[in-house]
Amino acid sequence: MTVCMIGTSLASYFWAGRGFVLSVLLVGVAYAILDQRWIRAEIDAPGWDGTPDQDAIFYLGVAIRLVFMSVILFATFVTTLFVASRFGNGKSL
């Protein structure tokens, strides 16, 4: 999460709003892929009982994590732009 915040901060500093959108898209794709692999490994593990609603719960969990991460990245984006405008790099919303 710290790496994502630093990456968003740097992208926001150099590319303003485009950097934020790129960061959210990249983090969202990364989280979805990592969660899919993690859940698939758990399902393939011995002893899985095959509960039928796990797919819905998985996608709900991914959505909640993406919303939570997007809020944190947005706060990082706004803070970076505020600090950058205070110290004179000329970029603003």
Side-chain angles (χ1 to χ4, degrees):
M1 187 155 166
T2 303
V3 173
C4 294
M5 290 174 59
I6 291 170
T8 298
S9 183
L10 289 172
S12 298
Y13 181 78
F14 290 115
W15 300 305
R18 293 181 305 248
F20 170 70
V21 171
L22 179 64
S23 295
V24 169
L25 290 175
L26 289 175
V27 168
V29 168
Y31 266 98
I33 290 170
L34 290 173
D35 282 351
Q36 179 66 35
R37 288 183 180 182
W38 173 48
I39 293 298
R40 179 53 48 198
E42 290 296 321
I43 289 172
D44 292 340
W48 175 255
D49 66 356
T51 307
D53 63 343
Q54 293 299 315
D55 289 336
I57 293 172
F58 164 72
Y59 287 114
L60 179 64
V62 170
I64 290 171
R65 283 179 53 162
L66 289 178
V67 167
F68 179 70
M69 193 64 173
S70 295
V71 168
I72 291 172
L73 293 179
F74 184 73
T76 303
F77 166 69
V78 170
T79 302
T80 300
L81 289 184
F82 175 75
V83 170
S85 68
R86 292 283 288 185
F87 294 107
N89 79 340
K91 296 181 182 187
S92 63
L93 291 172

